[in-house]
Amino acid sequence: MSNYHIKHLEEYFQVYRKSVRDPESFWGEVAEEHFVWRKKWDNVLNWDFNKPEIKWFEGGKLNITENCIDRHLRTRGDKPAIIWEPNDPSQPAVHITYKNLHERVCKFANVLKSKGVGKGDRVCIYLPMIPELTISILACARIGAIHSVVFAGFSSTALSTRINDSDCKLLITADGSYRGKKSIDLKGIVDEALVNCDSIEAVLVAKRTNENIHMEQGRDEWLQPLLDNASMDCEPEIMDAEDPLFILYTSGSTGKPKGMVHTIGGYMVFTAFTFKNIFQYRENDVFWCTADIGWVTGHSYIIYGPLANGATSIMFEGVPSYPDFGRFWEVIEKHRVNQFYTAPTAIRALAKRSTEFVTKYDLSSLKVLGSVGEPINEEAWHWYNDIIGKGKCPIVDTWWQTETGGIMLSPIPYVTPTIPTYATLPLPGVQPALLDDDGVEIKGNLVSGRLCMKFPWPGMARTIWNDHKRYKETYFSAYENMYFSGDGAFRDAVGYYRITGRVDDVVIVSGHNLGTAPIEDAINQHPAVAESAIVGFPHDIKGNALYGFVILKEVGETRDRENVRNEINQQIVDHIGPIAKLEKIQFVSGLPKTRSGKIMRRILRKIASNELSNLGDTSTLLNPEIVDHVIENRID
Ligand code: 6R9
């Protein structure tokens, strides 16, 4: 029996039982047998969900890049680690072998050192999907600096908020980026952001679009000449297992984004273990995760999980619709992709197109299909299964979060029988529980509740950067001695889990987590807006879209409504980014509120979703009469 690579259902149950009976020896064996440690840990696990404090492999010493790169050099030096597929299909793909990756990471690490970056310093990375993104992340890890990647589709305000929250010392960016037909002035956004960032001492700029851009004297420098002059020798910094590896921001239901902190040892073990099992990766397979590295999915399943297994991982710069809707399938044929991992929103968008976009290409290399980011609806599941997988590739519907570091619930392909819309069973070492509103665990099957975890797993985030109190409040205070995910779930007759969606004020739009509060904050700053409430409603392609209820100030009442709508969306683009734009904006004279003044989003959600028959009891509202007015003017 192998703890690390499960191949049969019986083996899964055995390994799972062991992982629950004795988690420390289970994870201890995985960590010992499959990774390089400079010093072995003193304790596998120390934990207390009340503080909360979670430590895995404490006392262990390692460097994650040694595990992801150096140790593969002897046997896999000429194997591609990363295959970079550019936006424009007429440009050649770039194969970066493990040897080449090693050289480039070491050089980059030396450039960082020459800029005064050292262990524990925060480095912000605001790059499009170009090789420098992967290389700079690993270069930080090589020298023990903490990377904070900000998705390159975020606005200047979103960027500066994140830089300031973790006092980043250095910023790595590019002159511009390509997305399909569009070219984006990334450096212009950076210049705007940095007006408000005192902590940044230097900016390294990669060349991508060759546009003529502004370079700030004494602050900005082109990256390539520095790399050309750097030495390719860089010994890995020896780190503690519990030292931070990275910060990644995720939206909360209130206030500013949360800088989730992941630490080195546990994250490495968990992403590598889940990658190996959930994609049944075999030597020489080609794995493709289409996510952007700006999100956790890209961190864990483009970079760390695959590279820790010596895998070949594709990094795609483009979009699924360029030059046409066959691009994904073309790339699969071109690189003979074996495992393909994408999001339901992309599947739905592509399923709307003619199947000729698919049938043109040879997809026979595919063995496993993955889905992540939001619940996958039945129709999309069947299209994925029939048209892409030809009924032969198991679909792994993987449930997890930025906070969990890696996949928590998922079928293991060719092992766990799948059912559409079910994330099925927990990975070994993962102990889910469903809780009712009173905080009581609901045992047995055929039950629904709030999805929690009753035991730590190695990949979990350890804190929120600079705000441990918020970490405790958000994840460990709803229920005693439990990690609360914020999602609801149903457990069926055989114990399979099906995720029913968020139970808080986070809306998942096209697979992206969006807190409604920060969007409301942004639009409330518009001079004509008095108050607003944002809710999600079901959308064919995006899964959910955003519906805004907006009360105008007197100055706004006389203005052209369409203009105000455009300005509100522009305000959102400026503060957060285009992904948070509102699909519908309804102007209202009031919002339904509780007697304590809280907006009743439950009612607004139903109105936005056109579920008007079952609004629940509205009589206890402060202003029950407003409900009819809002319904009468709802936008279809
Ligand atoms: C990895 C990632 C986390 C939230 C999570 C849940 C939703 C993710 C899902 C899913 C249903 C799945 N989610 N995977 N819902 N089925 N397979 O997406 O992280 O961006 O932090 O989002 O996404 O609501 O709580 P993140």
Side-chain angles (χ1 to χ4, degrees):
M1 189 177 88
S2 149
N3 276 351
Y4 190 68
H5 193 186
I6 297 159
K7 301 188 196 72
H8 311 286
L9 194 58
E10 193 42 46
E11 198 179 334
Y12 162 79
F13 284 116
Q14 275 176 24
V15 173
Y16 187 78
R17 277 193 297 268
K18 173 174 178 186
S19 78
V20 172
R21 206 174 46 235
D22 188 356
E24 296 199 26
S25 73
F26 172 76
W27 287 114
E29 281 168 32
V30 169
E32 183 148 15
E33 284 167 26
H34 297 279
F35 302 91
V36 177
W37 298 84
R38 291 293 185 103
K39 175 183 166 287
K40 197 178 157 176
W41 50 88
D42 305 317
N43 303 305
V44 174
L45 173 65
N46 256 321
W47 68 291
D48 178 349
F49 274 178
N50 291 316
K51 277 186 184 168
E53 186 176 271
I54 298 104
K55 291 188 169 155
W56 284 92
F57 311 113
E58 207 181 354
K61 304 261 185 202
L62 77 165
N63 186 289
I64 196 167
T65 69
E66 192 167 41
N67 281 278
C68 288
I69 311 173
D70 302 50
R71 67 163 161 150
H72 306 308
L73 292 177
R74 201 172 50 81
T75 52
R76 303 186 175 110
D78 296 321
K79 173 178 175 173
I82 300 286
I83 298 176
W84 180 67
E85 172 68 26
N87 180 57
D88 177 351
S90 67
Q91 300 291 308
V94 177
H95 288 63
I96 304 172
T97 63
Y98 274 94
K99 225 189 263 165
N100 186 237
L101 184 64
H102 181 257
E103 192 178 309
R104 294 174 73 176
V105 167
C106 287
K107 285 188 168 199
F108 207 128
N110 282 326
V111 169
L112 293 177
K113 280 188 188 168
S114 75
K115 293 285 148 200
V117 177
K119 187 169 172 171
D121 287 338
R122 274 79 59 209
V123 173
C124 179
I125 303 176
Y126 185 67
L127 280 172
M129 287 286 281
I130 57 176
E132 286 82 350
L133 174 52
T134 297
I135 293 164
S136 60
I137 284 174
L138 293 166
C140 288
R142 185 105 182 147
I143 64 170
I146 303 169
H147 55 79
S148 168
V149 178
V150 176
F151 172 57
F154 273 141
S155 70
S156 59
T157 316
L159 175 60
S160 61
T161 311
R162 285 160 178 75
I163 290 174
N164 291 337
D165 183 71
S166 44
D167 288 313
C168 295
K169 190 167 179 178
L170 187 99
L171 175 66
I172 303 166
T173 188
D175 50 358
S177 66
Y178 295 122
R179 274 185 77 74
K181 278 186 257 173
K182 280 191 276 187
S183 138
I184 296 149
D185 173 20
L186 214 58
K187 184 58 171 48
I189 300 173
V190 165
D191 290 339
E192 248 176 68
L194 291 190
V195 173
N196 303 310
C197 300
D198 294 336
S199 61
I200 294 288
E201 294 167 11
V203 178
L204 303 180
V205 187
K207 259 204 168 109
R208 177 62 185 123
T209 53
N210 286 309
E211 293 294 330
N212 207 350
I213 55 157
H214 167 74
M215 293 288 278
E216 181 81 18
Q217 273 279 316
R219 186 194 72 186
D220 304 349
E221 246 180 300
W222 290 108
L223 179 61
Q224 197 55 48
L226 296 171
L227 289 170
D228 291 341
N229 290 322
S231 149
M232 53 184 268
D233 293 320
C234 178
E235 281 301 307
E237 184 79 28
I238 303 309
M239 306 293 290
D240 286 329
E242 279 297 337
D243 280 337
L245 174 62
F246 66 84
I247 302 170
L248 187 59
Y249 287 87
T250 184
S251 314
S253 47
T254 53
K256 60 176 193 172
K258 297 172 290 192
M260 303 314 305
V261 177
H262 283 281
T263 58
I264 300 168
Y267 176 82
M268 173 184 77
V269 169
F270 194 65
T271 53
F273 173 82
T274 50
F275 173 78
K276 181 79 179 171
N277 282 298
I278 292 159
F279 300 105
Q280 289 287 305
Y281 185 86
R282 306 289 168 112
E283 195 68 46
N284 300 325
D285 282 350
V286 175
F287 173 80
W288 182 17
C289 164
T290 68
D292 192 289
I293 291 172
W295 311 112
V296 73
T297 306
H299 279 59
S300 302
Y301 298 107
I302 296 177
I303 302 183
Y304 288 112
L307 298 184
N309 282 285
T312 297
S313 174
I314 294 188
M315 181 179 176
F316 175 49
E317 184 188 30
V319 293
S321 55
Y322 177 80
D324 63 32
F325 290 95
R327 186 69 193 278
F328 273 2
W329 325 124
E330 185 217 333
V331 173
I332 290 175
E333 175 183 285
K334 178 173 169 191
H335 297 294
R336 305 295 297 155
V337 170
N338 301 109
Q339 294 92 356
F340 177 68
Y341 192 29
T342 195
T345 183
I347 298 168
R348 286 189 296 265
L350 296 171
K352 285 218 148 63
R353 311 287 156 179
S354 153
T355 49
E356 275 170 38
F357 284 116
V358 184
T359 50
K360 272 207 323 227
Y361 299 103
D362 173 9
L363 305 184
S364 61
S365 56
L366 286 173
K367 297 194 282 192
V368 177
L369 299 174
S371 169
V372 59
E374 58 183 311
I376 179 166
N377 52 305
E378 197 143 353
E379 209 183 336
W381 193 97
H382 284 295
W383 185 84
Y384 202 26
N385 185 62
D386 302 347
I387 307 296
I388 304 306
K390 323 281 187 224
K392 288 189 303 211
C393 303
I395 295 178
V396 291
D397 179 356
T398 63
W399 176 85
W400 60 295
Q401 311 178 290
T402 304
E403 295 85 339
T404 70
I407 297 167
M408 302 288 279
L409 305 176
S410 169
I412 297 180
Y414 302 100
V415 171
T416 319
T418 59
I419 309 180
T421 77
Y422 281 79
T424 73
L425 297 171
L427 266 286
V430 171
Q431 300 190 34
L434 296 179
L435 271 78
D436 70 14
D437 292 348
D438 301 324
V440 178
E441 183 176 351
I442 314 167
K443 305 260 179 162
N445 289 341
L446 290 172
V447 291
S448 293
R450 292 166 181 231
L451 180 59
C452 295
M453 296 294 150
K454 48 184 168 191
F455 197 83
W457 61 99
M460 69 191 296
R462 304 293 195 261
T463 188
I464 292 174
W465 185 262
N466 258 341
D467 203 347
H468 198 66
K469 186 161 157 271
R470 189 172 179 203
Y471 175 69
K472 178 175 171 142
E473 277 163 9
T474 313
Y475 305 107
F476 299 93
S477 301
Y479 307 108
E480 205 178 328
N481 239 340
M482 292 272 174
Y483 166 86
F484 172 47
S485 68
D487 283 331
F490 166 70
R491 191 164 52 222
D492 81 353
V494 298
Y496 274 17
Y497 288 87
R498 175 190 203 177
I499 306 300
T500 47
R502 301 289 307 188
V503 294
D504 57 12
D505 291 327
V506 172
V507 184
I508 315 257
V509 178
S510 299
H512 301 314
N513 270 12
L514 297 173
T516 51
I519 304 174
E520 290 164 8
D521 287 349
I523 68 182
N524 292 350
Q525 290 174 36
H526 186 285
V529 172
E531 201 182 351
S532 62
I534 310 292
V535 296
F537 69 99
H539 184 277
D540 275 359
I541 291 181
K542 300 178 181 175
N544 296 291
L546 297 173
Y547 192 120
F549 297 91
V550 175
I551 306 176
L552 289 177
K553 288 184 186 156
E554 233 165 81
V555 291
E557 288 293 351
T558 53
R559 299 209 29 216
D560 176 75
R561 294 294 159 101
E562 229 19 68
N563 286 344
V564 180
R565 281 197 178 93
N566 291 336
E567 287 168 19
I568 286 175
N569 265 330
Q570 191 53 47
Q571 188 94 6
I572 294 172
V573 171
D574 293 344
H575 279 76
I576 298 158
I579 50 175
K581 273 205 222 173
L582 306 182
E583 188 87 10
K584 298 177 183 176
I585 300 177
Q586 177 183 351
F587 296 106
V588 292
S589 59
L591 293 165
K593 291 200 173 159
T594 63
R595 282 171 196 277
S596 63
K598 269 203 172 120
I599 299 173
M600 280 292 269
R601 286 162 210 281
R602 184 174 53 77
I603 293 174
L604 294 175
R605 266 197 290 271
K606 293 212 161 141
I607 296 175
S609 311
N610 207 7
E611 286 173 29
L612 304 175
S613 56
N614 176 25
L615 287 183
D617 184 11
T618 55
S619 64
T620 57
L621 290 176
L622 187 67
N623 49 353
E625 71 291 345
I626 202 73
V627 176
D628 287 337
H629 155 81
V630 177
I631 292 175
E632 272 160 35
N633 297 298
R634 77 176 283 278
I635 300 175
D636 229 344

